């Protein structure tokens, strides 16, 4: 069927477009983008003035928990949360049970995604078997089965040697190695950022240097091997410094920052709820100087992508002592509002840059389709209502898990609709667009 | 409620109270509340010298001592305090209970609460455990030590002991030496002493000094002579022997040589300086025996005062059982 | 606000009570005074001084805080705990006749609490109650042995005793309006 999205502000930086334009979609493809396109038998969808039409957002770091931890999330519930959050595609991490280190698990995930028929799911495979850090996983097989990158996320690749080999090998297929950057010995049994807040609350700390050490290691090995290295969930200013230096030297290093790391600081450990386990994640929320560094990297281009590190945990698992709680918070359904409110409306970046961070760059780093509204490409479209008043309510999230520190937050800006392959899979009842 | 309540209509009916229904940490107490607890403890101390060491103040109240960490001294002290106030006490030690079967803290607490205790005294190895409990339970919660965070009744009895000898806390130089990083006693003492106007110096190897310690309003140094110079109070903290494994310092012998409180080091303090230690002591590690047993050691007074201070806390919070719940 | 006893009157009343004590007890050797905090303590000390003037003998004097024995503790649905003060009875009460001293006798509950407290200290030969003002309205079967002034009152009124040691004034006032904080 043909649809004409009429009158929205199209922001498509890959094609240099930021203007009020129409978008013509036929079946699952973009046909044309331009001013006052002829209707030509298409169903006309009026886009309210001020709404933004952009290439579908891709969250390149989510944990879907299936297979093995379906009480937290499944591929289906995660994919539903994704489209509700404005994401047309997600890349999911391999630390499932069993670990995604072979074609069978990859195929299982893809089958579940197809069954759900919502956001596209791109599996990321493991670097090592079982992510145990000893032997390389069958990377070619993983690639063949549909993996788009490799990582041992949850922890760093065990040794520099293994990381080097993984980069060399994955480089054969043009795949990036995504790394949870951390020095395990420095991390110890830390549960929070090493700083005044952790000291006050008596929590064991992990300093920013712990992450930066992992970044420096990866940058050097990327330089050595010539392969692509991507820093997952960067949080420390020392890490950003290492990334910038690497980029200046021409190293193929990229990085992502989560919305919670550009919004919150370690003060959240104490207020409003002291020892709130919904504020416990790894890497931890750090001090204001780190958060501000992330904002500056987002603004000046050193940061390539925004990714949520969506980490669902069941309520029971989080309702324990801070030390014992698992790391992580959900993020798919809060990312876009946080980005619009804290980055765009706050004047840190403009919309085209936001689209780069959420669509163009993730597509490029993972080597998947998307990132633009060029004619002929898949019609994955995210429509934003930039002035929508959004109130985040944890118990109304579509994810199976509700572990978010943003419950009750009021933000300006939200998702109006999400189209995957031309089909509107999410329409926000608060900002309704009448699709034919 | 915005501050301690003071109503002075008739002097015999002067009342004051603590703002919160719980005692989770010294960090939440105002200086007036600390003074109230110490003043009340003075009255309570006298009860221990009577032939019948009991008053009916908490008659009919039930207090549960929920201790997830082994403790003889603190638990006994609380138990005696509770009994002197005529409360009914229940001791639950984690080893012998449902906890071993994997029950979470929150579930254990809710099960206990179903039996309607008035107060729960909690000691737990995780920082923030008391905060978690206070969100889950309606009973008043008293923190008897949570992880590395706070041990408020210890700091209160330390302050009481200092006040007994030195009349007041403001203006005193207090040197605290030991494992500052892992010590909940240190954190509570820093909060209390700075709130009451003391000049606090903390001393230990750099590996055991928390980040940003200066933001706590104290002087930090690794030079013991500097810390102890002209001190009115010298407080030694326990060195946990396991710390050697974390490479915090090479050996106990070395620790004693650099930081141990010997008589020689003590001479730099004021001639009437008092020596304190929360116990249990490692003789020959953080403190030399001659110092521990010397004339200025008030270590045993600390223990005696613990009962009075805990009675004061129990009394002040027990009446607050009907207060609005504060977080 | 009507002053029912002025400074002069209070002084003469206490002197009269001191004489009564000597008379009824035939000497003061086995007596001890215990004042109920706070004003009872001031009164007890004054009585001790008078007794020394009259007999040349020092009657031991102590101070009793009855807060922890009150029957209305922990029963306030709103409101804080009363402040606890030190009890100081630096002598044995065994084998002594205790003269319990309070400023106002009203419902009798304070006296009941004081009796419970004293029993915990030992076993006296007997306890006699001295009050400056008895305002009636007993709720317990309590009677004073020595009364400074009988003052009939209504429940809506309140009696306030002001003593130099704590209030910088000497007078007993009767005013309209209930006392705060509970009955004595």
């Amino acid at each position: 069927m043909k649809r004409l999205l009429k009158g929205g502000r199209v922001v498509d930086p890959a094609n240099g477009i930021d203007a009020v334009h129409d978008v013509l979609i036929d079946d699952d493809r973009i046909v044309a983008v331009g001013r006052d396109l002829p209707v030509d038998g298409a169903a006309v969808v009026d886009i309210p003035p001020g709404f933004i039409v952009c290439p579908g957002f891709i969250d390149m770091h989510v944990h879907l928990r299936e297979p093995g931890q379906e009480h937290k999330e499944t591929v289906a519930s995660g994919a539903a949360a994704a489209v509700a959050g404005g994401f047309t595609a997600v890349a999911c991490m391999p630390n499932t049970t069993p670990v995604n280190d072979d074609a069978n698990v990859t195929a299982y995930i893809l089958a579940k995604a197809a069954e759900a028929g919502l956001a596209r799911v791109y599996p990321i495979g493991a670097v090592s078997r079982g992510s145990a850090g000893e032997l390389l996983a069958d990377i070619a097989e993983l690639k063949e089965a549909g993996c788009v990158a490799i990582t041992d996320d949850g922890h760093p690749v065990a040794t520099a040697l293994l990381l080097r080999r993984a980069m060399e090998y994955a480089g054969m297929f043009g795949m990036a190695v995504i790394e949870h950057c951390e020095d395990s010995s420095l991390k110890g049994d830390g549960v929070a950022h090493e700083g005044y807040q952790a000291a006050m609350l008596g929590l064991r700390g992990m300093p920013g240097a712990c992450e930066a050490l992992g970044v420096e290691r990866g940058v050097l090995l990327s330089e050595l091997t010539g392969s692509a290295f991507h820093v997952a969930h960067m949080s420390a200013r020392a890490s950003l410094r290492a990334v910038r230096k690497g980029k200046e030297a021409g190293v193929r290093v990229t990085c992502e920052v989560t919305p919670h790391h550009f919004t919150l600081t370690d003060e959240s450990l104490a207020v409003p709820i002291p020892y709130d386990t919904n504020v416990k994640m790894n890497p931890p929320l750090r001090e204001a100087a780190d958060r501000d560094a992330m904002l500056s990297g987002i603004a000046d281009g050193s940061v390539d992508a925004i990714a949520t590190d969506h980490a669902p945990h069941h309520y029971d698992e989080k309702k324990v002592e801070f030390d014992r709680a698992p790391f992580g918070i959900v993020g798919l359904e809060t990312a876009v509002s946080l980005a619009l409110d804290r980055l765009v409306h706050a004047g840190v970046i403009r919309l085209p840059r936001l689209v780069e961070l959420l669509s163009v760059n993730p597509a490029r780093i993972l080597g998947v389709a998307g990132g633009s509204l060029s004619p002929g490409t898949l019609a994955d479209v995210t429509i934003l209502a930039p002035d929508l008043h959004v109130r985040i309510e944890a118990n109304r999230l579509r994810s199976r898990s509700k572990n978010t520190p943003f419950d009750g937050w009021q933000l300006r800006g939200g998702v109006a609709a999400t189209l995957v392959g031309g089909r509107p899979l999410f329409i926000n009842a608060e900002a309704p667009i009448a699709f034919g | 409620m915005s501050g301690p309540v003071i109503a002075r209509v008739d002097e015999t009916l002067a009342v004051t109270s603590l703002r919160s229904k719980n005692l989770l940490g010294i960090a939440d107490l105002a200086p007036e509340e600390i003074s109230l607890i110490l003043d009340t403890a003075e009255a309570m101390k006298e009860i221990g010298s009577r032939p019948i060491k009991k008053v009916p103040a908490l008659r009919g109240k039930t207090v549960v001592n929920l201790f997830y960490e082994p403790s003889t001294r603190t638990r006994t002290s609380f138990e005696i305090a509770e009994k002197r106030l005529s409360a009914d006490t229940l001791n639950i030690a984690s080893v012998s209970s449902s906890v071993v079967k994997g029950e979470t803290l929150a579930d254990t607490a809710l099960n206990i609460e179903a039996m309607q205790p008035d107060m729960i005294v909690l000691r737990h190895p995780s920082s923030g455990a008391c905060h978690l409990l206070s969100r889950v339970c309606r009973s008043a919660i008293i923190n008897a030590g949570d992880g590395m965070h706070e041990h408020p009744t210890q700091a209160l009895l330390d302050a009481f002991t200092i006040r007994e000898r030195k009349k007041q806390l403001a203006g005193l130089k207090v040197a605290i030496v030991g494992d500052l990083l892992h010590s909940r006693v240190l954190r509570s003492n820093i909060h209390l002493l700075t709130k009451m106007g003391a000049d606090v110096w903390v001393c230990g190897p750099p590996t055991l000094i928390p980040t940003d310690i200066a933001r706590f309003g104290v002087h930090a140094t690794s030079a013991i002579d500097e810390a102890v110079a002209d001190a009115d109070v010298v407080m030694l903290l326990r060195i946990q022997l396991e710390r050697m494994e974390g490479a915090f310092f090479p050996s106990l012998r070395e620790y004693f040589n650099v930081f141990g409180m010997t008589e020689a080091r003590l001479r730099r303090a004021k001639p009437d300086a008092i020596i304190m230690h929360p116990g249990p002591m490692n003789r020959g590690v953080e403190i030399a025996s001659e110092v521990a047993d010397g004339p200025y050691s008030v270590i045993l007074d600390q223990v005696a005062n613990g009962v009075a201070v805990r009675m004061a806390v129990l009394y002040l919070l027990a009446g607050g059982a009907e207060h609005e719940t504060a977080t | 606000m009507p002053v029912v006893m002025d400074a002069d009157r209070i002084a003469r009343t206490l002197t009269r009570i001191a004489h009564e004590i000597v008379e009824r007890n035939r000497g003061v050797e086995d007596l001890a005074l215990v004042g109920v905090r706070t004003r009872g303590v001031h009164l007890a000390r004054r009585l001790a001084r008078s007794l020394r003037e009259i007999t040349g003998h020092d009657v031991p004097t102590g101070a009793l805080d009855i807060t922890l024995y009150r029957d209305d503790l922990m029963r306030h649905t709103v409101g804080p705990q009363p402040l606890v003060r030190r009890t100081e009875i630096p002598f044995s009460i065994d084998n002594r006749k205790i003269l319990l001293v309070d400023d106002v006798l009203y419902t009798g509950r304070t006296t009941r609490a004081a009796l419970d407290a004293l029993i915990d200290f030992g076993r006296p030969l007997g306890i006699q109650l001295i009050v400056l003002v008895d305002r009636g309205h007993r709720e317990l079967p309590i009677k004073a042995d020595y009364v400074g002034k009988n003052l009939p009152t209504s429940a809506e009124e309140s009696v306030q005793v002001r003593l130099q040691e704590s209030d910088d004034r000497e007078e007993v006032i009767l005013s309209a309006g209930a006392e705060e904080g509970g009955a004595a």
Side-chain angles (χ1 to χ4, degrees):
Chain A
M1 90 168 274
K2 283 205 229 173
R3 276 195 175 100
L4 182 65
L5 307 178
K6 190 161 182 54
R9 175 179 160 195
V10 173
V11 177
D12 182 8
N15 289 311
I17 300 175
D18 181 359
V20 174
H21 273 10
D22 301 339
V23 178
L24 180 63
I25 297 173
D26 190 354
D27 259 357
D28 64 346
R29 299 269 158 185
I30 309 260
V31 173
V33 176
R35 284 175 54 121
D36 298 317
L37 295 179
V39 174
D40 193 22
V44 174
V45 179
D46 287 304
I47 307 294
F51 279 33
I52 316 290
V53 177
C54 45
F57 292 164
I58 301 170
D59 187 346
M60 59 181 291
H61 191 143
V62 309
H63 294 269
L64 295 181
R65 304 297 190 206
E66 189 175 13
Q69 297 155 48
E70 292 81 357
H71 59 292
K72 305 185 202 226
E73 192 86 281
T74 62
V75 173
S77 64
V83 296
F87 292 97
T88 55
V90 299
C92 63
M93 289 295 171
N95 58 338
T96 45
T97 309
V99 167
N100 183 9
D101 63 0
D102 75 25
N104 291 314
V105 181
T106 307
Y108 180 85
I109 293 170
L110 287 170
K112 287 290 180 183
E115 206 181 290
L118 296 165
R120 298 182 202 281
V121 174
Y122 299 114
I124 298 174
V127 163
S128 60
R129 299 209 190 147
S131 279
E134 282 158 26
L135 299 171
L136 283 179
D138 288 328
I139 294 172
E141 182 186 299
L142 286 168
K143 162 103 183 158
E144 182 89 11
C147 287
V148 298
I150 53 170
T151 185
D152 272 345
D153 186 49
H155 49 260
V157 172
T159 61
L161 176 63
L162 192 64
L163 181 56
R164 173 199 181 153
R165 297 282 178 246
M167 283 190 192
E168 286 167 333
Y169 199 82
M172 225 186 350
F173 311 104
M175 284 212 290
V177 175
I178 299 177
E179 170 90 322
H180 169 117
C181 295
E182 182 178 278
D183 180 286
S184 305
S185 70
L186 267 194
K187 175 194 182 278
D189 43 13
V191 298
H193 170 69
E194 186 182 289
Y196 173 68
Q197 296 294 338
M200 267 280 273
L201 295 173
L203 295 172
R204 289 178 212 273
M206 326 178 235
C210 175
E211 177 186 281
L213 270 172
V215 177
E216 304 245 11
R217 175 179 90 159
V219 168
L220 285 167
L221 291 175
S222 172
E223 187 178 27
L224 180 63
T225 60
S227 294
F229 174 72
H230 179 81
V231 178
H233 46 49
M234 184 173 70
S235 67
R237 55 196 193 270
S239 302
L240 179 62
R241 207 169 56 216
V243 167
R244 279 181 176 142
K245 264 181 30 201
K247 288 189 177 196
E248 271 160 47
V251 176
R252 293 179 65 197
V253 54
T254 54
C255 63
E256 74 199 26
V257 174
T258 68
H260 48 274
H261 285 112
F262 67 64
T263 305
L264 300 172
T265 66
D266 59 355
E267 281 178 21
S268 298
L269 288 168
V271 282
I273 302 170
Y275 301 97
D276 182 3
T277 54
N278 284 332
V279 160
K280 179 178 180 181
M281 72 283 290
N282 190 18
L285 295 176
R286 300 199 190 268
E287 49 206 65
D290 294 301
R291 188 265 316 266
D292 296 342
M294 297 305 109
L295 288 170
S296 92
I298 285 170
D300 75 8
S302 320
V303 172
D304 301 277
I306 291 172
T308 63
D309 194 5
H310 175 87
H313 288 293
H314 193 273
Y315 172 73
D316 285 340
E317 294 166 305
K318 281 286 204 176
K319 195 180 158 196
V320 294
E321 306 85 287
F322 198 88
D323 286 340
R324 287 179 57 189
F327 291 104
I329 60 170
V330 290
L332 280 169
E333 295 167 85
T334 49
V336 167
S337 291
L338 286 166
L340 283 169
D341 189 293
R342 297 292 158 126
L343 298 177
V344 178
H345 290 306
V348 178
I349 58 172
R350 309 229 210 151
L351 278 162
R353 172 79 183 129
L354 184 69
V355 175
E356 279 174 15
L357 289 161
L358 282 167
S359 186
V360 179
N361 292 344
R364 190 193 72 228
I365 295 169
L366 295 175
V368 301
S372 81
L373 295 173
S374 305
T377 58
L378 287 169
D380 288 351
V381 181
T382 299
I383 304 179
L384 304 174
D387 295 304
L388 181 66
H389 177 83
V390 170
R391 199 194 131 90
I392 297 179
E393 282 173 72
N395 58 12
R396 299 187 60 196
L397 295 177
R398 281 158 181 76
S399 164
R400 275 206 178 170
S401 296
K402 318 294 181 195
N403 49 319
T404 175
F406 301 112
D407 190 27
W409 279 46
Q410 318 229 38
L411 297 165
R412 185 174 154 214
V415 178
T418 310
L419 285 75
V420 178
R423 287 153 49 234
L425 295 177
F426 172 73
I427 302 171
N428 191 340
E430 314 279 327
I433 300 174
F435 285 88
Chain B
M1 295 190 249
S2 58
V5 176
I6 304 179
R8 293 185 168 272
V9 173
D10 175 316
E11 229 214 300
T12 54
L13 299 171
V15 295
T16 46
S17 73
L18 301 178
R19 280 178 296 194
S20 169
K21 85 177 207 324
N22 305 311
L23 178 62
L24 301 180
I26 306 286
D28 312 314
L29 292 177
E32 309 85 72
E33 294 177 291
I34 294 171
S35 292
L36 172 63
I37 295 172
L38 297 180
D39 291 339
T40 305
E42 271 199 45
M44 297 297 184
K45 184 163 180 175
E46 175 269 322
I47 295 169
S49 57
R50 299 183 186 180
I52 295 184
K53 299 172 180 35
K54 217 172 182 51
V55 293
L58 260 64
R59 199 170 63 95
K61 298 281 180 179
T62 305
V63 182
V64 176
N65 297 323
L66 184 54
F67 275 61
Y68 279 75
E69 274 179 352
S71 157
T72 317
R73 186 185 315 243
T74 304
R75 215 201 62 211
T76 312
S77 184
F78 266 105
E79 207 181 321
I80 292 178
E82 289 149 16
K83 291 185 150 105
R84 286 205 177 149
L85 292 170
S86 301
D88 294 323
T89 69
L90 253 100
N91 291 312
I92 301 181
S94 60
V95 173
S96 58
S97 73
S98 57
V99 172
V100 172
K101 299 177 194 159
E103 196 182 38
T104 64
L105 173 61
D107 277 337
T108 303
L110 286 173
N111 275 292
I112 291 170
E113 232 196 18
M115 300 183 255
Q116 298 183 304
D118 297 281
M119 313 179 77
I120 299 178
V121 177
L122 177 68
R123 168 172 280 198
H124 195 282
S126 284
S127 303
C130 296
H131 280 80
L132 172 63
L133 212 63
S134 73
R135 289 195 276 273
V136 164
C137 289
R138 286 173 42 243
S139 316
I141 310 291
I142 297 181
N143 183 358
D146 66 329
M148 307 189 320
H149 174 230
E150 283 224 41
H151 190 355
T153 56
Q154 179 70 44
L156 286 163
L157 72 87
D158 289 340
F160 186 85
T161 308
I162 296 173
R163 226 171 69 152
E164 257 188 341
R165 296 297 187 110
K166 302 288 182 184
K167 301 296 169 262
Q168 61 166 38
L169 298 165
L172 293 181
K173 177 174 175 184
V174 180
I176 310 181
V177 185
D179 182 352
L180 316 175
L181 183 60
H182 300 95
S183 171
R184 55 190 172 214
V185 172
L186 172 95
R187 269 173 254 282
S188 290
N189 266 300
I190 286 183
H191 287 309
L192 191 151
L193 293 166
T194 52
K195 280 180 203 255
M196 303 307 273
D199 180 27
V200 181
W201 286 69
V202 300
C203 177
T207 50
L208 290 176
I209 295 185
T211 316
D212 285 338
I213 185 83
R215 270 178 79 174
F216 286 74
V218 305
H219 307 272
T221 174
S222 292
I224 185 128
D225 292 334
E226 200 192 338
V228 171
D230 291 322
D232 297 286
V233 179
V234 177
M235 198 183 288
L236 287 334
L237 299 178
R238 208 174 106 74
I239 287 295
Q240 284 174 284
L241 309 186
E242 312 81 73
R243 299 298 165 216
M244 280 201 300
E245 274 142 47
F248 289 101
F249 50 82
S251 67
L252 296 180
R253 196 185 64 140
E254 183 140 309
Y255 182 86
F256 181 71
N257 288 341
V258 182
F259 296 99
M261 193 50 52
T262 59
E263 284 203 321
R265 287 212 163 104
L266 204 47
R267 266 180 240 130
R268 290 180 196 270
K270 289 219 178 83
D272 61 348
I274 56 175
I275 311 301
M276 304 180 68
H277 193 303
M281 289 188 283
N282 291 316
R283 290 168 181 267
V285 180
E286 65 263 10
I287 186 170
S289 277
E290 317 85 75
V291 173
D293 303 327
Y296 291 102
S297 161
V298 299
I299 294 172
L300 292 175
D301 291 343
Q302 286 172 271
V303 178
N305 291 331
V307 175
V309 165
R310 287 168 177 131
M311 285 173 75
V313 169
L314 286 160
Y315 169 73
L316 288 166
L317 289 181
E322 312 280 352
H323 283 183
E324 292 157 35
T325 310
T327 34
Chain C
M1 285 191 289
V3 176
V4 294
M5 291 176 84
D6 62 12
D8 197 46
R9 189 69 193 281
I10 292 173
R12 282 189 278 124
T13 301
L14 288 175
T15 307
R16 191 250 302 156
I17 291 178
H19 283 283
E20 276 181 34
I21 292 170
V22 177
E23 213 184 281
R24 280 202 225 176
N25 290 289
R26 277 179 283 204
V28 300
E29 286 73 35
D30 57 355
L31 296 182
L33 286 155
V34 174
V36 176
R37 284 210 189 270
T38 313
R39 291 186 182 79
V41 179
H42 307 317
L43 295 172
R45 294 211 174 106
R46 293 192 198 182
L47 284 171
R49 268 198 301 274
S50 287
L51 288 172
R52 179 148 32 87
E53 278 166 23
I54 298 171
T55 68
H57 188 84
D58 274 318
V59 176
T61 308
L64 180 65
D65 184 286
I66 55 100
T67 313
L68 297 173
Y69 289 83
R70 290 171 62 140
D71 64 6
D72 58 350
L73 263 192
M74 316 289 168
R75 282 174 195 277
H76 292 128
T77 50
V78 189
Q81 297 290 67
L83 184 64
V84 184
R85 292 206 171 75
R86 257 188 102 93
T87 287
E88 283 164 39
I89 302 185
F91 48 86
S92 168
I93 69 170
D94 292 346
N95 300 314
R96 282 193 187 274
K97 285 188 259 178
I98 303 297
L99 302 170
L100 192 60
V101 187
D102 204 358
D103 55 347
V104 178
L105 176 58
Y106 183 22
T107 60
R109 292 182 189 272
T110 300
T111 308
R112 196 273 326 151
L115 291 174
D116 273 356
L118 279 176
I119 299 301
D120 277 353
F121 275 85
R123 189 172 190 280
L125 292 174
I127 301 177
Q128 296 166 26
L129 178 63
I130 302 172
V131 297
L132 186 63
V133 175
D134 179 344
R135 64 170 288 196
H137 299 285
R138 215 74 77 236
E139 291 172 6
L140 297 174
I142 301 272
K143 190 175 71 79
D145 297 284
Y146 308 84
V147 179
K149 180 175 178 59
N150 276 298
L151 185 64
T153 59
S154 74
E156 284 77 44
E157 291 171 308
S158 75
V159 175
Q160 273 137 49
V161 173
R162 303 260 178 271
L163 299 175
Q164 200 63 40
E165 294 93 325
S166 49
D167 310 289
D168 285 329
R169 266 181 298 164
E170 276 290 294
E171 58 193 5
V172 178
I173 295 172
L174 175 66
S175 57
E179 279 160 27
E180 287 182 29

